[in-house]
Amino acid sequence: MKVFSGIRPSGELHIGNYLGAIKQWVELQEKHECVFCIVDFHAIITAYKPEELQKNILELTIAYLAAGLDPEKCILFVQSEVKEHSELAWLLGTITPLGDLKRMIQFKEKSKKYPEHASAGLLNYPLLMAADILLYKADLVPVGKDQKQHIELTREIAKRFNKTFGDVFILPKALLPEAGQKIMSLQEPKKKMSKTDSPAGYIGIFDEPEKIKEKIMTAVTDSGKVVKYDLERKPGISNLLTIYSLFSGKTIKILEKKFNGKGYYEFKMGMALLLIESLEKFRKKRKELLAREVYLREILSRGKNRAQVIAQSTMREVKNKMGLI
Ligand code: TYM
């Protein structure tokens, strides 16, 4: 199987990104042909600081490696360095109805939240995402739940292309983790954990121990004292239980038993300790890698060369079918 996925280099990576996406990637690289991308063209669609973009790209490269991706086992590269991505996005736009782009939930939400950034780029965002995936003929796209609709659209676009011009593309499928596909904000447990939230709402994978403890202890919980999973009535505790379960490898049932009669404070203290311990190896690896910029650039350059060979070959097929060569 071929696997493709990516993350925007815009701010800190949080445990939602880790549990929803990267944790699966680390397992997939052992068995499949994997391509993982730093999608910088997607990061510049909403407000960003040009002077910080290169730093964010390197930080995300470090995060990929610290979380367990191995450049010997997968291809790691930066999207804007392989020009076929934007070229294919343009071509896919010519066969995609405007209505399909306008009905995307993320477009609707983001254009409402940031009307000043409701650009053509924001509307066309899923075309670039479709190009990312289709260029590498990926069968599987491991992502969190918020990206599922974009992958379904990618499938539709691939189908339409194959029908109109002849078979080139594989129809990809989203691969969502059973648990952890939508980690919620620590401050507003009915909203997704997000990089653009206030930092108290998320735990960065490189957060220092004191910060982790503070964020967990101040996480919004629900009235009552019983540590029990109940999405309707206890969204805050349910979210914390999900996170606890995924980092500890223990089922939610076992955790409910463990904290039976113990109350929220003890539960949160246990969870803070677990997260501090679980994220320690990431912090350590990051410290090591921060001093090795040349090594990081070398990985990205090798990744770019390998990605380019695949992308160019698909583009030749596409252009051939479309009468462009
Ligand atoms: P991005 O950068 O917003 O998020 C990266 C990955 O993290 C997942 N994720 C979450 N999972 C669980 N709980 C959460 N609270 C949470 N927040 C984020 C996302 O689902 C995603 O898997 N458009 C994409 C990037 C992209 C891409 C692609 C992905 C561009 N091209 C091609 C796959 C294939 C995005 O903005 O993800």
Side-chain angles (χ1 to χ4, degrees):
M1 294 271 212
K2 293 199 175 116
V3 175
F4 183 95
S5 200
I7 296 183
R8 285 172 298 141
S10 51
E12 282 179 274
L13 210 72
H14 54 67
I15 56 171
N17 301 129
Y18 176 68
L19 297 173
I22 300 195
K23 193 163 173 243
Q24 304 195 78
W25 304 2
V26 174
E27 288 157 19
L28 288 162
Q29 70 176 347
E30 298 300 329
K31 288 199 211 112
H32 302 284
E33 274 175 61
C34 293
V35 181
F36 298 121
C37 189
I38 291 170
V39 289
D40 54 347
F41 273 171
H42 278 113
I44 60 174
I45 287 171
T46 42
Y48 78 104
K49 296 199 174 94
E51 66 279 15
E52 286 180 7
L53 190 56
Q54 288 309 310
K55 185 181 123 272
N56 287 344
I57 289 173
L58 277 186
E59 274 289 344
L60 188 55
T61 312
I62 290 176
Y64 279 7
L65 298 176
L69 292 182
D70 178 349
E72 299 301 322
K73 293 181 181 159
C74 60
I75 298 178
L76 300 179
F77 76 107
V78 179
Q79 184 188 38
S80 66
E81 292 184 2
V82 177
K83 66 180 175 23
E84 283 72 16
H85 289 244
S86 37
E87 196 177 5
L88 181 59
W90 174 260
L91 299 179
L92 298 179
T94 64
I95 58 161
T96 304
L98 196 51
D100 282 8
L101 298 172
K102 282 189 175 160
R103 73 177 166 76
M104 291 293 108
I105 297 165
Q106 212 164 63
F107 172 71
K108 285 198 212 161
E109 282 178 1
K110 286 205 171 156
S111 54
K112 205 163 133 200
K113 192 166 167 195
Y114 309 106
E116 69 283 15
H117 295 296
S119 60
L122 187 63
L123 181 72
N124 289 331
Y125 184 109
L127 292 173
L128 183 57
M129 200 167 147
D132 296 341
I133 297 165
L134 297 179
L135 270 178
Y136 300 91
K137 302 194 177 181
D139 306 275
L140 294 177
V141 188
V143 284
K145 194 170 175 192
D146 60 337
Q147 296 302 321
K148 189 166 173 237
Q149 194 188 30
H150 289 154
I151 293 153
E152 283 161 1
L153 178 63
T154 301
R155 214 178 146 81
E156 289 309 309
I157 294 174
K159 244 190 236 170
R160 194 173 299 115
F161 184 98
N162 288 350
K163 202 167 145 214
T164 312
F165 298 109
D167 281 351
V168 172
F169 296 129
I170 300 287
L171 308 186
K173 273 203 195 117
L175 183 68
L176 307 189
E178 234 171 85
Q181 54 182 260
K182 190 173 184 186
I183 298 294
M184 310 310 270
S185 158
L186 299 181
Q187 289 300 316
E188 293 171 85
K190 295 220 158 173
K191 273 177 52 187
K192 183 184 78 164
M193 182 177 282
S194 153
K195 289 178 239 190
T196 48
D197 235 9
S198 86
Y202 64 82
I203 294 178
I205 67 162
F206 297 130
D207 271 355
E208 293 293 337
E210 314 81 68
K211 248 199 197 164
I212 297 176
K213 188 166 165 211
E214 191 186 311
K215 289 181 185 182
I216 292 180
M217 298 318 281
T218 55
V220 167
T221 45
D222 322 277
S223 55
K225 310 186 242 209
V226 185
V227 177
K228 188 172 176 340
Y229 191 89
D230 181 342
L231 265 187
E232 269 306 303
R233 270 169 290 180
K234 289 173 167 279
I237 287 291
S238 302
N239 187 41
L240 296 183
L241 270 169
T242 302
I243 298 170
Y244 198 133
S245 160
L246 289 167
F247 275 104
S248 64
K250 296 197 172 100
T251 64
I252 289 182
K253 279 266 159 297
I254 289 183
L255 294 175
E256 284 174 345
K257 247 188 222 151
K258 181 174 156 97
F259 290 102
N260 186 17
K262 298 225 168 102
Y264 292 168
Y265 179 79
E266 215 163 309
F267 169 62
K268 283 179 158 183
M269 283 297 278
M271 177 162 174
L273 277 181
L274 169 73
L275 268 120
I276 289 170
E277 218 177 271
S278 308
L279 297 177
E280 192 193 330
K281 56 179 187 293
F282 298 168
R283 289 192 299 275
K284 232 168 125 189
K285 191 85 206 263
R286 174 172 181 265
K287 275 203 191 110
E288 261 171 58
L289 289 168
L290 270 176
R292 302 185 64 193
E293 188 171 333
V294 176
Y295 168 69
L296 299 173
R297 297 256 176 229
E298 222 173 79
I299 290 174
L300 293 178
S301 158
R302 203 151 47 93
K304 171 199 146 185
N305 292 335
R306 292 172 66 197
Q308 208 164 40
V309 172
I310 307 171
Q312 284 175 347
S313 150
T314 307
M315 267 320 278
R316 263 195 304 278
E317 281 183 75
V318 168
K319 286 185 158 174
N320 218 335
K321 294 276 193 211
M322 291 185 78
L324 289 162
I325 39 175

